[in-house]
């Protein structure tokens, strides 16, 4: 009986330690690099199930404003994308070979196909202040 109680105490301690290692909410913050600031820009937060369909959240950076953004999310795999809305229609315009407007991902993607979530996602387990997106 004492062994069983000790094992349960050990499991409880291990579970508490595991829970302490990963915060419930993390802050993902960064700057939009390459933005001219003359047009609005949009930064989108994606998870695997919504990737490239409907962002979980989207922040509008007004023309002439600050290039900083922050998302508060649960720890896990996340992707960020951004674009500068040069024709001011509120969406990223796509051409035959990719975006017609400056765009990019937090984790850079270079390829001749539409990116997959696994190509651009980052496993976020703690606050991040350098989640910068470079657009071009």
């Amino acid at each position: 009986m004492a062994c069983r109680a000790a094992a349960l105490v050990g499991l409880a301690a291990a579970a508490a330690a595991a829970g302490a290692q990963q915060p419930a909410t993390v802050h993902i913050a960064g700057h939009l690099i390459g933005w001219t600031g003359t047009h609005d820009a949009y930064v989108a937060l994606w998870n695997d199930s919504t990737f490239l369909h409907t962002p979980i959240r989207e922040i509008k950076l007004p023309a002439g404003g600050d290039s900083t953004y922050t998302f508060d999310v649960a720890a896990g795999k996340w992707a960020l994308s951004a674009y500068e809305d040069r024709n001011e229609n509120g969406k990223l315009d796509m051409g035959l070979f990719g975006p017609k407007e400056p765009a990019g991902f937090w984790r850079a993607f270079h390829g001749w196909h539409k990116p997959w979530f696994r190509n651009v996602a980052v496993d976020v387990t703690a606050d991040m202040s350098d989640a910068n997106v470079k657009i071009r």
Side-chain angles (χ1 to χ4, degrees), residues 7 13-14 20 23 25 30-31 35 43 51 65 69 78-79 87 89 103 107 113 117:
T25 303
H31 295 276
W35 177 38
V43 182
F51 188 61
Y69 48 84
W78 296 100
N87 64 0
N89 66 352
R107 186 171 156 204
H113 59 83
F117 182 75

Side-chain angles (χ1 to χ4, degrees), residues 20 22 25 41 58 75 86 128 130:
Q22 188 166 333
T25 303
E58 187 172 56
R86 290 205 171 157
M128 301 193 80
D130 61 349

Side-chain angles (χ1 to χ4, degrees), residues 13-130:
Q21 293 174 357
Q22 188 166 333
T25 303
V26 293
H27 308 284
I28 302 174
H31 295 276
L32 188 54
I33 299 170
W35 177 38
T36 65
T38 57
H39 305 282
D40 294 341
Y42 295 85
V43 182
L45 174 74
W46 307 92
N47 68 13
D48 191 21
S49 64
T50 66
F51 188 61
L52 298 183
H53 295 289
T54 305
I56 297 294
R57 293 191 193 113
E58 187 172 56
I59 295 174
K60 178 181 179 180
L61 303 176
D66 189 10
S67 68
T68 304
Y69 48 84
T70 301
F71 294 98
D72 295 324
V73 298
K77 284 198 176 281
W78 296 100
L80 295 177
S81 67
Y83 69 95
E84 183 172 356
D85 189 16
R86 290 205 171 157
N87 64 0
E88 300 176 5
N89 66 352
K91 65 178 187 169
L92 176 61
D93 295 303
M94 298 297 290
L96 187 59
F97 298 105
K100 291 182 175 182
E101 299 171 300
F105 289 94
W106 171 18
R107 186 171 156 204
F109 171 75
H110 307 288
W112 293 101
H113 59 83
K114 191 182 279 190
W116 295 304
F117 182 75
R118 69 177 182 261
N119 297 134
V120 296
V122 175
D123 192 16
V124 181
T125 58
D127 292 348
M128 301 193 80
S129 60
D130 61 349

